[in-house]
Amino acid sequence: EAIVTSEELGQDLEHVEVLQKKFEEFQTDLAAHEERVNEVNQFAGKLIQEQHPEEELIKSKQDEVNASWQRLKGLALQRQGKLFGAAEVQRFNRDVDETISWIKEKGQLMASDDFGRDLASVQALLRKHEGLERDLAALEDKVKALCAEADRLQQSHPINASQIQVKREELIANWEQIRTSAAERHARLNDSYRLQRFLADFRDLTSWVTEMKALINADELANDVAGAEALLDRHQEHKGEIDAHEDSFKSADESGQALLAAGHYASDEVKEKLTILSDERSALLELWELRRQQYEQCMDLQLFYRDTEQVDNWMSKQEAFLLNEDLGDSLDSVEALLKKHEDFEKSLSAQEEKIT
């Protein structure tokens, strides 16, 4: 009876399970003694049937044994229920403690001040954080289930209601804290990603501008018309590439302006980079225009040299014609020479227009 009337219910789940195991051993022993009680009842019934002179005493003892037996079984049933209830409460406490421990472990990751140093590291951190958020989403069902279990246990175990409520509130407080931390970290990582995306675009564009400037400056002025034409064609191709990058410059500028409008923590750096990017683009366009003018001047000069050379060659040929002493020795030959001279004068007029 001392076993079934014990008020010891354990300090934790392991302790309760030890008590339950001991009680199961008691129940096995109790079941083994039930046959002995049945034998006592059978023997008493036999004695009463045989009208034993101590019949009243036998009945009294029989009733006493049966009453004690039923009382012991009743107490055992109550003890079993108490241990079962204690196991439920302690299992709830353990599950809550394990959940809070997991939350705190993940909370340390959420508290990291590492938001990435470049685009690749930020993307890796975002992927890792999204994995943590998936874990949190899966944990939410467990938190809800534990809260529902707390409500049920408070109803079924009113004596433990206050302790269960304390655990419930502790769980909810930790859950709300990690959800807030997760949202804040995700926002900071997104800010970092937008900044690193802008800085990566800035580096790509400024690097491209440097390369393009080198290309534009690389060509030397041509020494003939064909070379000057080739230079102009190649220079126009460079303009086509510059025009093709206009959308990239526009996109980078819009990204930077959006960061400034949002009051980004790196606004000063973004503003500086936007200014550099604008200046670099303007410098590139000015350089292209300067070289275009130089190439067109080069083309004009080479055309002048070519035309001058052609006129010089023509005049050299015509000078030989004019120095000819042949004035004809007959009417036909003189007329032929006059015809040639008229052709020369026409050609001279045409050349004069070209020269002037």
Side-chain angles (χ1 to χ4, degrees), residues 133-180:
E133 288 184 321
R134 286 192 292 273
D135 291 342
L136 288 181
L139 185 66
E140 185 172 10
D141 290 339
K142 185 174 183 180
V143 172
K144 289 179 179 178
L146 286 172
C147 288
E149 178 69 357
D151 293 339
R152 185 186 71 80
L153 290 174
Q154 284 178 297
Q155 293 293 325
S156 60
H157 304 289
I159 193 171
N160 300 110
S162 60
Q163 179 266 325
I164 293 170
Q165 181 62 20
V166 169
K167 277 290 181 187
R168 185 179 189 276
E169 290 174 357
E170 183 182 1
L171 173 64
I172 291 174
N174 279 274
W175 172 244
E176 293 298 334
Q177 176 60 43
I178 198 170
R179 287 181 63 188
T180 300

Side-chain angles (χ1 to χ4, degrees), residues 55-70:
E55 180 178 345
E56 291 301 322
L57 179 60
I58 292 170
K59 284 183 178 181
S60 175
K61 287 292 183 181
Q62 183 184 20
D63 291 342
E64 184 180 336
V65 168
N66 285 330
S68 296
W69 177 250
Q70 292 301 322

Side-chain angles (χ1 to χ4, degrees), residues 106-112 129 132-133 136 178 181-182 185:
K106 300 305 178 184
Q108 292 178 351
L109 297 176
M110 301 292 182
S112 171
H129 187 75
L132 286 173
E133 288 184 321
L136 288 181
I178 198 170
S181 297
R185 179 161 178 77

